[in-house]
Amino acid sequence: MGHHKKGQSVSISDVARVAGVAKSTVSRAFIHPTLVAAPTRERIRRIADEMGFRPSRVARALSTGRTGLVGLVVPTLSNPFFGPLVAAMQQAAEEEDRQIVLMISELSAERETRIVERLSREVDGLIVATSLCEEAFLRKVAKEIPLVLVDRKVGRLASVLIDTPSGVAAIADHLIGMGHRRLCYVSGPPGSWADAPRIAALRTRAEQSGAEIVVAGPIPPTVDAGIEIAETVAAAGVTAVIGYNSATVLGLLHGLGTRGVRVPEDVSVASADDFILLQSTKPAVTVLHLPLEEAGQAAVRMLERLLRGERPGRPVVIGPRLVIRESTLRARPPGQQAGQS
């Protein structure tokens, strides 16, 4: 037996040879253990263990009813929000000896519903990020399989929430504190569950401080959409604008610049996320930093609890951090021209 390095790829045939039994007996010892006499079964498993034999996920699934697979559904990978989230979940899942099966719904509720239906029959548990599915459907899935939602809340279903509403409220406080009284919020993406609470938080802040919020959009999370909406923003008579996403803010900077609107002298600009390199733009943009790695790890930990048969407990809420840079400036007193100090 000394000729086998532990952990080197060991096959069923290798175990059968050393144990002096047929290959089919080794398979049965792992897949249908009750069909193999206890002493033989224990001897095969001990030898397999010493040789570093790892039954395949398929064999393990047949014997335990568990695949070791976790389904992860995201709407798109073109939005840089999801890259760090997926990477963090994969790492956390590997630490639990699980593998992630990643599916992309291409921002379609219908496609996401089909994907979730199919995956739920093939994996041990599911994590769905910024889900577009109907509430009733998600509740049904959660009864059939452990399910964790990221950045979407449905009743008492297990969820990890990134508290962007309190984050955009912090941006509004920062801008209002610098004398801005008429602010524009560029909203999106269309059909987003998370956008309404952001708008509500901004309106509450504005009402409390006698400021006004103009909502533009919703627009998709792209640079082109940001360039297009710049015309609406420039015509809205606002002194500050908050974009829901960094790609749109990048487009907005470009679109405002081509219209001769200077940032921050004429209009202050801030972004509700920091995924595109907004610290290297001119001017560097004030942003919310969203701790996505933390959110990804929390979602996997919550799924592990569900897989152990525990209750999900309260939603995990992860708070963003405001990073103030050069793109937000004190508002000019009404009637004062740019360039006057």
Side-chain angles (χ1 to χ4, degrees):
M1 247 174 74
H3 65 283
H4 253 291
K5 280 200 195 75
K6 191 172 168 70
Q8 200 179 332
S9 183
V10 178
S11 70
I12 283 187
S13 326
D14 299 329
V15 177
R17 197 177 60 248
V18 173
V21 296
K23 264 170 33 175
S24 55
T25 311
V26 176
S27 310
R28 273 201 298 276
F30 285 99
I31 297 172
H32 299 297
T34 49
L35 302 181
V36 181
T40 314
R41 183 176 71 225
E42 278 153 27
R43 193 167 63 87
I44 290 171
R45 289 195 162 193
R46 192 188 68 245
I47 289 168
D49 212 39
E50 284 166 4
M51 293 175 73
F53 172 71
R54 297 274 170 274
S56 73
R57 287 189 182 275
V58 176
R60 197 163 56 176
L62 288 167
S63 65
T64 64
R66 288 275 171 96
T67 61
L69 300 176
V70 167
L72 170 56
V73 184
V74 300
T76 174
L77 286 181
S78 61
N79 181 344
F81 179 92
F82 297 103
L85 199 60
V86 170
M89 287 183 193
Q90 181 172 314
Q91 193 183 348
E94 280 171 2
E95 284 164 16
E96 298 287 353
D97 194 30
R98 297 190 188 282
Q99 266 179 334
I100 292 272
V101 179
L102 176 64
M103 299 293 276
I104 300 157
S105 68
E106 304 299 349
L107 297 162
S108 151
E110 189 190 349
R111 185 172 154 80
E112 186 188 312
T113 304
R114 283 203 309 274
I115 287 171
V116 168
E117 269 178 338
R118 194 171 75 240
L119 265 185
S120 64
R121 295 193 286 270
E122 297 169 5
V123 295
D124 297 337
L126 268 177
I127 299 174
V128 184
T130 66
S131 178
L132 299 166
C133 290
E134 295 285 336
E135 285 204 5
F137 171 73
L138 291 170
R139 287 177 194 276
K140 179 174 85 74
V141 172
K143 286 195 175 83
E144 295 161 7
I145 184 173
L147 170 71
V148 174
L149 301 174
V150 176
D151 218 22
R152 166 95 190 258
K153 191 171 187 311
V154 174
R156 293 194 171 166
L157 298 192
S159 61
V160 174
L161 304 172
I162 297 163
D163 188 7
T164 51
S166 77
V168 292
I171 297 177
D173 287 344
H174 163 64
L175 292 167
I176 292 165
M178 293 204 299
H180 294 275
R181 287 296 170 266
R182 190 169 154 84
L183 288 70
C184 176
Y185 173 62
V186 177
S187 69
S192 155
W193 170 84
D195 208 40
R198 288 195 287 260
I199 294 170
L202 285 170
R203 291 212 160 113
T204 303
R205 277 300 196 277
E207 278 161 24
Q208 289 165 348
S209 52
E212 197 183 342
I213 296 283
V214 178
V215 177
I219 63 170
T222 64
V223 174
D224 287 348
I227 292 173
E228 272 174 48
I229 202 88
E231 192 171 344
T232 310
V233 172
V238 296
T239 60
V241 55
I242 302 166
Y244 81 92
N245 154 280
S246 47
T248 56
V249 168
L250 207 54
L252 196 55
L253 289 175
H254 181 75
L256 290 172
T258 58
R259 286 177 175 76
V261 178
R262 296 169 313 158
V263 177
E265 295 84 351
D266 303 324
V267 173
S268 285
V269 173
S271 170
D273 76 38
D274 63 340
F275 306 122
I276 290 176
L277 296 169
L278 292 177
Q279 76 268 31
S280 44
T281 51
K282 292 235 174 309
V285 177
T286 294
V287 295
L288 279 187
H289 171 67
L290 308 183
L292 293 178
E293 286 79 7
E294 203 185 318
Q297 288 160 359
V300 171
R301 280 199 302 271
M302 190 174 269
L303 188 66
E304 285 299 324
R305 287 208 298 278
L306 295 178
L307 285 164
R308 289 196 298 268
E310 297 169 23
R311 301 182 72 82
R314 303 175 71 85
V316 172
V317 179
I318 291 171
R321 191 178 83 246
L322 180 60
V323 182
I324 297 168
R325 301 199 184 112
E326 299 135 27
S327 67
T328 47
L329 199 62
R330 187 159 288 289
R332 287 201 312 277
Q336 183 179 304
Q337 290 302 304
Q340 282 180 252
S341 50

